[in-house]
Amino acid sequence: MSIWWSLHLRREAASVPLARRLLLGTMETAGVDPDISYDLSLALGEACANAVEHAGEGSAEFRVTAYLDGEKCRIEVADSGPGFPQEPVCAFTRSTAPVDAESGRGLRLIEELADHVHFGNRAGRGGAVVSFDKSVKWRADAPVALTT
């Protein structure tokens, strides 16, 4: 069994905990290990906070899509703002962002919490995309794991 959902949220601070709670509730119901769920919800919160803060004046909403399938959960947060600067992707990684930097700490945190992370821009439409995934561990009594 797989679970997929997509949200279109207003670009306001109240959307961040809403997205996190939906993800946590879905993962708890499916039977995902609570530590994995927490890591993913924290990474999602950081990605949503970036969309709220940096999406630009003309952007009223952003999109969150999550896929929970078998041994992996993949999450994508996309906005329609100006996107990431046209610098190499490595400019957004932990190797170059100082720990005490005023910006970029959320991206570093996402990198630490997820197994694979991609920061990019939406082709042709503008806007930033942050996508990440993590291997899933299931509780012994997980209803979804029992059917796969």
Side-chain angles (χ1 to χ4, degrees):
M1 174 187 257
S2 63
I3 299 170
W4 173 88
W5 52 260
S6 185
L7 300 170
H8 291 263
L9 298 166
R10 288 181 186 241
R11 207 184 113 231
E12 56 190 40
S15 295
V16 177
L18 175 66
R20 283 189 69 191
R21 281 193 297 263
L22 181 60
L23 178 69
L24 283 169
T26 301
M27 297 183 95
E28 179 182 357
T29 301
V32 174
D33 176 81
D35 291 336
I36 300 295
S37 298
Y38 180 77
D39 286 353
L40 285 167
S41 74
L42 189 55
L44 174 61
E46 291 297 329
C48 289
N50 282 341
V52 168
E53 184 176 344
H54 301 293
E57 291 301 317
S59 177
E61 63 182 29
F62 64 99
R63 181 179 46 91
V64 175
T65 306
Y67 308 90
L68 180 58
D69 191 16
E71 301 299 317
K72 183 166 69 170
C73 180
R74 179 169 183 80
I75 298 171
E76 179 179 286
V77 177
D79 64 49
S80 56
F84 288 106
Q86 294 301 314
E87 297 177 21
V89 174
C90 64
F92 301 110
T93 64
R94 63 183 150 232
S95 62
T96 59
V99 174
D100 60 348
E102 285 297 315
S103 64
R105 290 179 295 188
L107 300 179
R108 287 183 55 153
L109 185 57
I110 294 168
E111 288 180 314
E112 292 297 324
L113 294 167
D115 295 336
H116 302 97
V117 182
H118 175 74
F119 306 114
N121 292 324
R122 291 172 51 179
R125 299 155 113 193
V129 178
V130 176
S131 61
F132 52 94
D133 61 59
K134 188 168 183 80
S135 294
V136 174
K137 295 178 189 169
W138 299 96
R139 295 188 326 252
D141 65 341
V144 171
L146 297 174
T147 61
T148 57

